[in-house]
Amino acid sequence: MLRRNIRLRREYLYRKSLEGKERLLYEKKRKIREALEEGKPIPTELRNEEAALRQEIDLEDEQTAIPRSLIDDEYANAAEKDPKILLTTSRNPSQPLTQFVKELKFVFPNAERMNRGGQVVSEIVESCRSHDYTDVILVHEHRGVPDGLIISHLPFGPTAYFGLLNVVTRHDIKDKKAMGTMPEAYPHLIVNNFKTKLGERTATILKHLFPVPKPDTKRIITFANQSDYISFRHHLYEKHGGPQSIELKEIGPRFEMRLYQIKLGTMEQSEAQTEWVIRPYMNTSKKRKFLGD
């Protein structure tokens, strides 16, 4: 099993290294295709390669004309089976953190919660790979308050690191009758204001934690981005009459997330390449919005 994982990882890194070359080749073909369509002369720097590139263009169709990206490889099997998620915590979790992870188990369908005990991260990830888990979610805390969430996609990554703020669990809400019970139906997703390339990348990581719901399910999960803070909300809706009489009931938990790093690997790989990391002390970082408007 270890040899197989090493071989698969090596093949994945090789495909990743080819991505830049494929993108460069795609740009050359695009320039030739545009020149032929507009009746313009072939660009000077491409004239030596024109014959070979035109032959490749003639053999391409809609599926092969655009190169596959790294994201296609990472989530290539996402449509074939539902996600299977393992939830765990940092070592010696407090009672509030344990309660929060118990509630997250019901938020993510097909999730299983594991007591961390003395296991190290590399053992957890290797065990999840061998048992066909698609994601590992690790929740951290500071003085009894959940403050960090790591989502690692298996078998090769990516791994997204989020900070948690303003966590309110169902356990903290006193009015249990108004809140209602937690359903286990697959939820509809609302992903709002993830408009940049990094925002689309973040939305891809989040939405692949959930399976495809049935059309008539009344459970809704929202990831709403505003100024790079992602608000997580969990609702049920009821139709008492026509479309104008829809009642929305929040069932918790609720929290805010802030992305601060994405790595091209799983969480135990210290050598994994960093795809993006926040730079909070740059002069313009307060003005810039990385995920959306």
Side-chain angles (χ1 to χ4, degrees):
M1 181 61 73
L2 184 60
R3 283 183 177 180
R4 178 176 176 271
N5 286 336
I6 293 172
R7 177 175 55 80
L8 290 174
R9 177 69 185 166
R10 193 182 296 121
E11 289 174 0
Y12 171 74
L13 291 173
Y14 174 69
R15 289 198 306 271
K16 184 159 71 74
S17 68
L18 290 179
E19 191 176 63
K21 298 177 184 177
E22 289 177 359
R23 176 60 58 181
L24 184 63
L25 186 62
Y26 170 72
E27 289 298 322
K28 290 179 179 179
K29 291 177 186 175
R30 184 183 61 79
K31 289 179 182 178
I32 289 179
R33 197 179 287 113
E34 287 180 357
L36 293 174
E37 289 174 356
E38 296 173 6
K40 294 181 179 179
I42 301 297
T44 310
E45 68 273 13
L46 299 178
R47 285 180 184 170
N48 292 335
E49 306 173 72
E50 179 194 355
L53 290 174
R54 286 183 69 168
Q55 188 175 3
E56 289 187 23
I57 290 171
D58 292 338
L59 296 173
E60 287 176 345
D61 57 14
E62 293 179 358
Q63 299 295 325
T64 57
I66 301 175
R68 283 169 61 89
S69 72
L70 196 62
I71 297 173
D72 295 331
D73 282 340
E74 290 164 351
Y75 295 100
N77 301 323
E80 297 175 8
K81 58 182 180 180
D82 289 345
K84 185 180 177 184
I85 301 169
L86 181 79
L87 279 163
T88 189
T89 63
S90 51
R91 286 201 180 97
N92 301 319
S94 64
Q95 182 60 33
L97 181 63
T98 304
Q99 185 65 41
F100 179 57
V101 173
K102 283 180 181 178
E103 295 183 10
L104 286 182
K105 178 184 178 296
F106 293 103
V107 168
F108 299 107
N110 305 328
E112 296 179 17
R113 183 177 67 88
M114 184 191 76
N115 293 327
R116 174 74 178 270
Q119 285 190 297
V120 296
V121 171
S122 57
E123 292 176 357
I124 295 171
V125 173
E126 194 59 42
S127 176
C128 289
R129 276 201 191 102
S130 61
H131 289 86
D132 292 329
Y133 282 86
T134 60
D135 296 271
V136 178
I137 298 178
L138 182 64
V139 188
H140 290 279
E141 66 178 340
H142 178 69
R143 295 186 177 181
V145 179
D147 72 335
L149 187 77
I150 303 174
I151 301 171
S152 186
H153 183 66
L154 300 179
F156 305 124
T159 299
Y161 296 78
F162 295 92
L164 291 180
L165 305 97
N166 307 326
V167 176
V168 179
T169 63
R170 287 168 54 86
H171 188 72
D172 296 331
I173 300 170
K174 304 299 181 185
D175 191 359
K176 305 295 183 186
K177 291 184 179 178
M179 185 172 53
T181 57
M182 175 86 80
E184 294 190 22
Y186 293 171
H188 290 295
L189 292 183
I190 298 175
V191 182
N192 184 48
N193 195 23
F194 291 84
K195 296 182 178 178
T196 64
K197 192 171 182 180
L198 177 65
E200 292 173 0
R201 175 72 155 151
T202 308
T204 300
I205 293 170
L206 293 173
K207 72 184 181 182
H208 280 97
L209 296 173
F210 298 89
V212 178
K214 292 182 178 179
D216 59 345
T217 185
K218 296 183 178 179
R219 184 182 173 199
I220 301 171
I221 284 178
T222 305
F223 293 99
N225 169 50
Q226 186 172 10
S227 300
D228 290 345
Y229 287 89
I230 303 167
S231 298
F232 174 89
R233 296 294 183 268
H234 190 191
H235 293 90
L236 279 180
Y237 74 89
E238 294 287 344
K239 287 183 180 179
H240 296 292
Q244 301 297 325
S245 59
I246 294 178
E247 180 185 350
L248 203 61
K249 181 191 294 184
E250 186 172 0
I251 55 176
R254 62 155 62 186
F255 51 87
E256 321 298 325
M257 306 162 63
R258 190 173 191 197
L259 177 72
Y260 65 88
Q261 191 177 37
I262 297 179
K263 281 193 170 184
L264 292 174
T266 49
M267 66 172 75
E268 90 283 9
Q269 294 170 346
S270 57
E271 75 281 2
Q273 180 184 346
T274 300
E275 180 179 345
W276 179 85
V277 64
I278 194 169
R279 307 286 185 188
Y281 299 110
M282 291 177 67
N283 290 337
T284 58
S285 68
K286 289 185 179 179
K287 303 173 189 174
R288 293 180 65 187
K289 292 183 174 60
F290 296 102
L291 301 181
D293 296 338

